[in-house]
Amino acid sequence: ALIDINKVLEQQPDYARAHYIKGSCMEQQNKLSEAIQYYNNAIMYDDREPIFYMHRGIVNINIILRKVI
């Protein structure tokens, strides 16, 4: 999936959904800082999509919980 999404981002760097999908991949790999960056990019390119904000929030909560535990 990452190979394909990287190709999409090369061809369409402002495609919000591609940034969101890459963020989800990073989240699944536990690369939370990278996930936040891609979710932020998705929001920058489409700030009307609630799921982008939701997933960024979930990752932020997970980052906070890791620091507390």
Side-chain angles (χ1 to χ4, degrees), residues 20 39 43 49-60:
Y20 165 73
Y39 290 143
I43 291 166
E49 182 60 59
I51 198 158
F52 299 165
Y53 292 95
M54 182 187 81
H55 278 266
R56 183 178 68 177
I58 290 168
V59 171
N60 276 321

Side-chain angles (χ1 to χ4, degrees), residues 16-24 27 35-36 38-44 46-60:
R17 178 105 10 215
H19 285 278
Y20 165 73
I21 293 168
K22 180 120 186 213
S24 293
E27 184 179 354
I36 291 287
Y38 284 102
Y39 290 143
N40 284 340
N41 289 345
I43 291 166
M44 178 177 64
D46 182 359
D47 63 357
R48 295 173 292 154
E49 182 60 59
I51 198 158
F52 299 165
Y53 292 95
M54 182 187 81
H55 278 266
R56 183 178 68 177
I58 290 168
V59 171
N60 276 321

